[in-house]
Amino acid sequence: MNDLYRILPQELDALMVELGEPRYRAGQLLRALYHDFPAALVEVRALPAALREKLAAAGYGVGPGDEVRSVVSEDGETTKLLLRLGHDTLIESVLMQYPEPGKHPRSTVCVSSQAGCAMGCIFCATGQMGFERNLKAEEMVAQVVHMARRLKPRSEHVTNVVFMGMGEPLANYGETVRAARLLTDPRAFGLAQRSITISTVGILSGIDRLADQGMQVGLAISLHAPNEELRRRLVPTAGPHSVHDLVSAARRYFKKTGRRVTFEYALIDGLNDSPELARQLAGLLRGSGTHVNLIPVNPTAGGFGRPPRQRVVAFERILREGGVNCTIRAEKGSEISAACGQLRTDEDIARVDFVPLSGAAAAPARGRRQSALGPAPSPAR
Ligand code: SAH
Ligand code: SF4
């Protein structure tokens, strides 16, 4: 099946012409796909039945995957979805909402770009499950569409997308960029390019290609260490000069796109959180025009712990005093294992029966505290 959520607007224009249809049909179809969020071609009622049949006969369809399970955090602000894509690929996506007084909440979808990941970062649950397969662009778009469909009854919208879920987006470059184009094309999902952030463990060729892509997407690079030796312990697939190479790549990205790069630094108790390392990091990044986002590590099976709060704050202070812009990431969703590095579709989850949530009986959310099924409740204000 050729998924219509894969096709860029200009390609859809061409397809309609090819099918002998007036071009405005492309506009009708795009509005239906990105405003009504249909789960199947038959639900695209904006098109005449004959055209739907023509599309189906030509092999086109709509298939954003099944929601196997959803879990909502106690405060209602974080929703984790387990999606089944294709026949047997399970992936997770997360919606994080940030209430804004008097306004609709900022609603960020954290998208997975691969099932599993080959990069093997020792503190990351996805890394520990190994690599399964690359996701297609339409499977990344589908994750956003599922969340948008849940928000719609509350008159809320997806406002931001971060490629920070399972997998390494720049190891799946072509599909990730196609997804970013679909999400930002004004005739498709229509987000501002600046509302999208791609996070990478540091695929240098991918960073440079992205800089040349002529897009205004944000870039986050997961650094985690200020020196080569320590970085290679945490990110075993890193090259021998990765720290140095990534700082240079960030400068190039900024020069070409005008967008400041964020370095992510997962702080792990006793491993990369010492004042000495903070000073090294400040020395490395001073004057580079980059920003550091400190992420106190979220618990995963590996036994890596989060440093005590005062150590996190001290690390931040040293960076700031050293002239480096820095923030500590506000934690979201860790109690439902929806936080950074906790996304993993393990055997336990795979054993859950596949029952779409739209079905009469949804699969029980086993082993999850305060889990809830069905549409997310309105965020507590
Ligand atoms: N592969 C990409 C994007 C997905 S990981 C990357 O590595 O950047 C998204 C972010 O979560 C990365 O910054 C990653 O380092 C971080 N992360 C992974 N495991 C984590 C954990 N256990 N606690 C906190 N952050 C983690
Ligand atoms: Fe892959 Fe990112 Fe996890 Fe590393 S942190 S294993 S690159 S998903």
Side-chain angles (χ1 to χ4, degrees):
M1 192 253 291
N2 295 321
D3 200 309
L4 291 166
Y5 278 116
R6 174 179 185 77
I7 304 185
L8 288 160
Q10 68 270 27
E11 296 169 343
L12 208 54
D13 292 338
L15 176 65
M16 287 302 167
V17 173
E18 214 177 281
L19 293 174
E21 294 287 329
R23 195 177 278 238
Y24 67 80
R25 293 291 186 207
Q28 287 178 328
L29 177 52
L30 286 164
R31 274 191 297 281
L33 290 174
Y34 295 102
H35 291 269
D36 306 338
F37 312 120
L41 188 55
V42 290
E43 292 178 17
V44 184
R45 306 241 157 67
L47 296 184
L51 176 52
R52 290 201 301 264
E53 278 158 29
K54 209 192 253 187
L55 282 166
Y60 291 93
V62 176
D66 292 334
E67 295 186 11
V68 176
R69 181 203 292 165
S70 71
V71 188
V72 182
S73 65
E74 244 165 289
D75 63 12
E77 290 174 4
T78 307
T79 302
K80 181 164 82 163
L81 273 189
L82 178 67
L83 292 176
R84 183 179 53 153
L85 302 171
H87 291 298
D88 54 5
T89 303
L90 289 170
I91 58 108
E92 294 184 321
S93 331
V94 183
L95 169 71
M96 295 159 290
Q97 295 199 288
Y98 304 84
E100 301 202 335
K103 284 204 251 165
H104 287 305
R106 183 152 63 89
S107 301
T108 300
V109 180
C110 182
V111 165
S112 294
S113 55
Q114 299 179 318
C117 183
M119 308 310 293
C121 303
I122 58 173
F123 50 87
C124 170
T126 309
Q128 296 313 302
M129 68 184 268
F131 177 70
E132 212 177 293
R133 75 164 170 91
N134 281 327
L135 299 191
K136 308 288 286 174
E138 60 271 34
E139 294 174 324
M140 297 183 224
V141 172
Q143 298 170 50
V144 181
V145 164
H146 274 279
M147 296 300 189
R149 194 187 293 139
R150 286 171 165 257
L151 292 175
K152 199 177 166 182
R154 302 186 234 152
S155 302
E156 293 169 1
H157 306 278
V158 173
T159 59
N160 298 73
V161 169
V162 292
F163 289 83
M164 293 186 186
M166 300 167 74
E168 170 47 47
L170 297 187
N172 184 14
Y173 187 87
E175 296 301 305
T176 297
V177 166
R178 175 175 277 266
R181 290 210 179 284
L182 287 156
L183 292 170
T184 56
D185 193 300
R187 295 174 66 206
F189 199 81
L191 287 176
Q193 289 185 350
R194 289 178 160 267
S195 308
I196 299 232
T197 301
I198 294 179
S199 176
T200 178
V201 73
I203 312 263
L204 291 165
S205 56
I207 295 174
D208 285 325
R209 273 175 89 184
L210 194 63
D212 286 331
Q213 204 75 51
M215 292 178 86
Q216 280 283 301
V217 297
L219 178 68
I221 300 176
S222 298
L223 190 65
H224 310 314
N227 64 63
E228 310 295 349
E229 193 204 337
L230 181 58
R231 187 161 199 270
R232 278 171 72 100
R233 271 177 69 197
L234 303 176
V235 184
T237 50
H241 312 294
S242 73
V243 172
H244 171 265
D245 291 345
L246 289 173
V247 175
S248 308
R251 284 181 196 269
R252 290 195 295 277
Y253 192 86
F254 178 45
K255 214 167 156 198
K256 283 224 169 115
T257 64
R259 298 229 50 194
R260 284 180 192 283
V261 172
T262 296
F263 279 114
E264 291 165 290
Y265 194 106
L267 274 172
I268 309 166
D269 192 23
L271 258 182
N272 64 353
D273 62 339
S274 72
E276 173 50 29
L277 289 169
R279 282 188 284 276
Q280 261 187 44
L281 186 62
L284 181 73
L285 298 182
R286 189 176 302 128
S288 65
T290 56
H291 178 101
V292 172
N293 200 354
L294 296 173
I295 316 171
V297 84
N298 292 306
T300 61
F304 300 100
R306 172 177 293 196
R309 181 75 190 167
Q310 29 0 336
R311 216 161 155 84
V312 175
V313 172
F315 201 96
E316 182 199 29
R317 196 178 50 239
I318 293 170
L319 282 177
R320 288 210 171 148
E321 286 171 3
V324 176
N325 245 312
C326 175
T327 44
I328 300 173
R329 177 169 302 170
E331 184 200 345
K332 263 207 173 297
S334 70
E335 105 258 17
I336 57 167
S337 291
C340 294
Q342 293 185 309
L343 301 184
R344 176 191 177 106
T345 50
D346 55 16
E347 260 203 352
D348 177 48
I349 293 173
R351 277 201 298 270
V352 172
D353 293 335
F354 294 135
V355 182
L357 286 173
S358 50
R366 285 193 288 138
R368 292 292 192 266
R369 195 150 61 86
Q370 288 297 323
S371 56
L373 290 161
S378 296
R381 299 267 164 75

Short mmCIF file of all heavy atoms in Angstrom, two decimals, residues 191-224:
data_model
loop_
_atom_site.label_atom_id
_atom_site.label_comp_id
_atom_site.label_asym_id
_atom_site.label_seq_id
_atom_site.Cartn_x
_atom_site.Cartn_y
_atom_site.Cartn_z
N LEU A 191 3.08 22.78 10.48
CA LEU A 191 3.81 23.38 11.60
C LEU A 191 4.89 24.31 11.07
O LEU A 191 5.39 24.11 9.96
CB LEU A 191 4.50 22.29 12.43
CG LEU A 191 3.64 21.40 13.31
CD1 LEU A 191 4.52 20.33 13.96
CD2 LEU A 191 2.94 22.21 14.39
N ALA A 192 5.29 25.27 11.89
CA ALA A 192 6.44 26.10 11.50
C ALA A 192 7.70 25.24 11.57
O ALA A 192 7.83 24.39 12.45
CB ALA A 192 6.57 27.28 12.45
N GLN A 193 8.64 25.47 10.64
CA GLN A 193 9.88 24.67 10.67
C GLN A 193 10.60 24.85 12.00
O GLN A 193 11.22 23.92 12.52
CB GLN A 193 10.79 25.08 9.51
CG GLN A 193 10.23 24.61 8.17
CD GLN A 193 11.17 24.88 7.01
OE1 GLN A 193 12.17 25.57 7.14
NE2 GLN A 193 10.84 24.34 5.86
N ARG A 194 10.48 26.02 12.57
CA ARG A 194 11.13 26.29 13.86
C ARG A 194 10.51 25.52 15.01
O ARG A 194 11.07 25.48 16.11
CB ARG A 194 11.08 27.79 14.17
CG ARG A 194 11.98 28.56 13.25
CD ARG A 194 11.95 30.05 13.47
NE ARG A 194 13.14 30.63 12.91
CZ ARG A 194 14.26 30.86 13.57
NH1 ARG A 194 14.32 30.64 14.87
NH2 ARG A 194 15.32 31.34 12.98
N SER A 195 9.34 24.95 14.79
CA SER A 195 8.69 24.18 15.85
C SER A 195 9.13 22.72 15.86
O SER A 195 8.61 21.91 16.61
CB SER A 195 7.16 24.20 15.67
OG SER A 195 6.72 25.51 15.54
N ILE A 196 10.09 22.41 14.97
CA ILE A 196 10.55 21.01 14.88
C ILE A 196 12.00 20.94 15.36
O ILE A 196 12.81 21.80 15.01
CB ILE A 196 10.50 20.55 13.41
CG1 ILE A 196 9.07 20.63 12.92
CG2 ILE A 196 11.16 19.19 13.21
CD1 ILE A 196 8.54 19.40 12.31
N THR A 197 12.30 19.94 16.15
CA THR A 197 13.69 19.73 16.57
C THR A 197 14.10 18.29 16.29
O THR A 197 13.36 17.36 16.63
CB THR A 197 13.87 20.02 18.08
OG1 THR A 197 13.48 21.38 18.34
CG2 THR A 197 15.31 19.83 18.52
N ILE A 198 15.25 18.15 15.66
CA ILE A 198 15.80 16.82 15.42
C ILE A 198 16.96 16.62 16.39
O ILE A 198 17.86 17.45 16.48
CB ILE A 198 16.26 16.67 13.95
CG1 ILE A 198 15.03 16.74 13.04
CG2 ILE A 198 17.03 15.36 13.74
CD1 ILE A 198 15.33 16.62 11.55
N SER A 199 16.89 15.52 17.14
CA SER A 199 17.96 15.23 18.10
C SER A 199 18.81 14.09 17.57
O SER A 199 18.29 13.06 17.15
CB SER A 199 17.31 14.83 19.44
OG SER A 199 18.30 14.45 20.37
N THR A 200 20.11 14.28 17.59
CA THR A 200 21.01 13.24 17.07
C THR A 200 22.11 12.91 18.06
O THR A 200 22.58 13.78 18.80
CB THR A 200 21.65 13.67 15.74
OG1 THR A 200 22.55 12.64 15.30
CG2 THR A 200 22.44 14.97 15.86
N VAL A 201 22.54 11.66 18.03
CA VAL A 201 23.67 11.25 18.85
C VAL A 201 24.97 11.75 18.21
O VAL A 201 26.03 11.69 18.82
CB VAL A 201 23.66 9.72 19.05
CG1 VAL A 201 24.08 9.00 17.78
CG2 VAL A 201 24.51 9.29 20.22
N GLY A 202 24.84 12.26 16.97
CA GLY A 202 26.02 12.89 16.37
C GLY A 202 26.50 12.26 15.08
O GLY A 202 27.69 12.03 14.91
N ILE A 203 25.58 11.99 14.16
CA ILE A 203 25.98 11.48 12.84
C ILE A 203 26.45 12.70 12.03
O ILE A 203 25.62 13.50 11.59
CB ILE A 203 24.78 10.80 12.12
CG1 ILE A 203 24.07 9.84 13.07
CG2 ILE A 203 25.20 10.20 10.79
CD1 ILE A 203 24.42 8.42 12.97
N LEU A 204 27.78 12.81 11.86
CA LEU A 204 28.33 14.04 11.30
C LEU A 204 27.81 14.33 9.89
O LEU A 204 27.42 15.45 9.57
CB LEU A 204 29.85 13.97 11.27
CG LEU A 204 30.50 14.01 12.65
CD1 LEU A 204 31.95 13.58 12.55
CD2 LEU A 204 30.38 15.39 13.26
N SER A 205 27.81 13.30 9.04
CA SER A 205 27.38 13.51 7.65
C SER A 205 25.93 13.99 7.63
O SER A 205 25.54 14.84 6.82
CB SER A 205 27.54 12.24 6.84
OG SER A 205 26.81 11.20 7.48
N GLY A 206 25.11 13.45 8.53
CA GLY A 206 23.70 13.82 8.60
C GLY A 206 23.53 15.27 9.04
O GLY A 206 22.68 16.00 8.52
N ILE A 207 24.35 15.71 10.00
CA ILE A 207 24.26 17.10 10.48
C ILE A 207 24.58 18.05 9.32
O ILE A 207 23.88 19.04 9.09
CB ILE A 207 25.22 17.33 11.66
CG1 ILE A 207 24.79 16.47 12.86
CG2 ILE A 207 25.27 18.81 12.04
CD1 ILE A 207 25.75 16.51 14.04
N ASP A 208 25.62 17.73 8.56
CA ASP A 208 26.00 18.61 7.45
C ASP A 208 24.96 18.59 6.33
O ASP A 208 24.66 19.62 5.73
CB ASP A 208 27.40 18.24 6.92
CG ASP A 208 28.49 18.71 7.89
OD1 ASP A 208 28.31 19.79 8.51
OD2 ASP A 208 29.49 18.00 8.05
N ARG A 209 24.40 17.43 6.07
CA ARG A 209 23.33 17.37 5.04
C ARG A 209 22.14 18.20 5.48
O ARG A 209 21.53 18.92 4.69
CB ARG A 209 22.86 15.92 4.86
CG ARG A 209 23.67 15.14 3.86
CD ARG A 209 23.22 13.70 3.84
NE ARG A 209 22.13 13.45 2.89
CZ ARG A 209 21.53 12.28 2.76
NH1 ARG A 209 21.87 11.26 3.53
NH2 ARG A 209 20.57 12.12 1.88
N LEU A 210 21.80 18.09 6.76
CA LEU A 210 20.65 18.83 7.28
C LEU A 210 20.89 20.34 7.18
O LEU A 210 19.98 21.10 6.85
CB LEU A 210 20.38 18.41 8.73
CG LEU A 210 19.05 18.82 9.33
CD1 LEU A 210 17.88 18.17 8.58
CD2 LEU A 210 18.97 18.43 10.82
N ALA A 211 22.11 20.74 7.44
CA ALA A 211 22.45 22.17 7.35
C ALA A 211 22.24 22.68 5.92
O ALA A 211 21.90 23.84 5.72
CB ALA A 211 23.89 22.40 7.79
N ASP A 212 22.45 21.79 4.94
CA ASP A 212 22.33 22.19 3.53
C ASP A 212 20.91 22.02 3.00
O ASP A 212 20.66 22.27 1.82
CB ASP A 212 23.28 21.34 2.66
CG ASP A 212 24.72 21.78 2.85
OD1 ASP A 212 24.93 22.98 3.14
OD2 ASP A 212 25.62 20.93 2.73
N GLN A 213 20.02 21.55 3.83
CA GLN A 213 18.68 21.19 3.36
C GLN A 213 17.79 22.42 3.14
O GLN A 213 16.72 22.32 2.56
CB GLN A 213 18.04 20.26 4.42
CG GLN A 213 16.95 19.36 3.91
CD GLN A 213 17.45 18.18 3.09
OE1 GLN A 213 18.32 17.46 3.52
NE2 GLN A 213 16.92 18.01 1.90
N GLY A 214 18.25 23.55 3.64
CA GLY A 214 17.46 24.77 3.48
C GLY A 214 16.22 24.79 4.36
O GLY A 214 15.24 25.45 4.05
N MET A 215 16.28 24.06 5.46
CA MET A 215 15.16 24.07 6.40
C MET A 215 15.59 24.78 7.68
O MET A 215 16.77 24.85 7.99
CB MET A 215 14.72 22.64 6.73
CG MET A 215 14.11 21.92 5.55
SD MET A 215 13.67 20.23 5.99
CE MET A 215 12.04 20.48 6.67
N GLN A 216 14.61 25.26 8.41
CA GLN A 216 14.89 26.00 9.65
C GLN A 216 14.63 25.14 10.88
O GLN A 216 14.20 25.66 11.91
CB GLN A 216 14.02 27.25 9.69
CG GLN A 216 14.56 28.37 8.84
CD GLN A 216 15.73 29.05 9.54
OE1 GLN A 216 15.59 29.56 10.63
NE2 GLN A 216 16.89 29.03 8.91
N VAL A 217 14.86 23.84 10.76
CA VAL A 217 14.57 22.99 11.92
C VAL A 217 15.67 23.11 12.97
O VAL A 217 16.83 23.36 12.64
CB VAL A 217 14.37 21.49 11.53
CG1 VAL A 217 13.18 21.32 10.61
CG2 VAL A 217 15.62 20.92 10.91
N GLY A 218 15.26 22.94 14.23
CA GLY A 218 16.23 23.00 15.31
C GLY A 218 17.03 21.70 15.37
O GLY A 218 16.54 20.64 14.99
N LEU A 219 18.28 21.82 15.85
CA LEU A 219 19.13 20.64 15.97
C LEU A 219 19.59 20.52 17.42
O LEU A 219 20.05 21.49 18.02
CB LEU A 219 20.34 20.78 15.05
CG LEU A 219 21.36 19.64 15.11
CD1 LEU A 219 20.77 18.35 14.54
CD2 LEU A 219 22.63 20.00 14.36
N ALA A 220 19.45 19.32 17.97
CA ALA A 220 19.99 19.02 19.30
C ALA A 220 21.00 17.88 19.13
O ALA A 220 20.72 16.92 18.40
CB ALA A 220 18.87 18.61 20.24
N ILE A 221 22.16 18.03 19.75
CA ILE A 221 23.19 16.99 19.65
C ILE A 221 23.43 16.42 21.05
O ILE A 221 23.68 17.17 22.00
CB ILE A 221 24.51 17.56 19.09
CG1 ILE A 221 24.29 18.16 17.69
CG2 ILE A 221 25.58 16.47 19.04
CD1 ILE A 221 25.52 18.84 17.09
N SER A 222 23.33 15.11 21.16
CA SER A 222 23.50 14.46 22.47
C SER A 222 24.97 14.24 22.73
O SER A 222 25.58 13.32 22.18
CB SER A 222 22.73 13.13 22.46
OG SER A 222 21.36 13.38 22.26
N LEU A 223 25.55 15.07 23.57
CA LEU A 223 27.01 15.06 23.78
C LEU A 223 27.40 14.19 24.98
O LEU A 223 28.23 13.30 24.86
CB LEU A 223 27.49 16.51 23.96
CG LEU A 223 29.00 16.72 23.96
CD1 LEU A 223 29.59 16.37 22.60
CD2 LEU A 223 29.34 18.17 24.33
N HIS A 224 26.85 14.48 26.13
CA HIS A 224 26.99 13.68 27.36
C HIS A 224 28.37 13.67 28.01
O HIS A 224 28.49 13.16 29.13
CB HIS A 224 26.57 12.22 27.15
CG HIS A 224 25.25 12.04 26.49
ND1 HIS A 224 24.14 12.75 26.86
CD2 HIS A 224 24.87 11.25 25.46
CE1 HIS A 224 23.13 12.38 26.10
NE2 HIS A 224 23.54 11.49 25.24
#
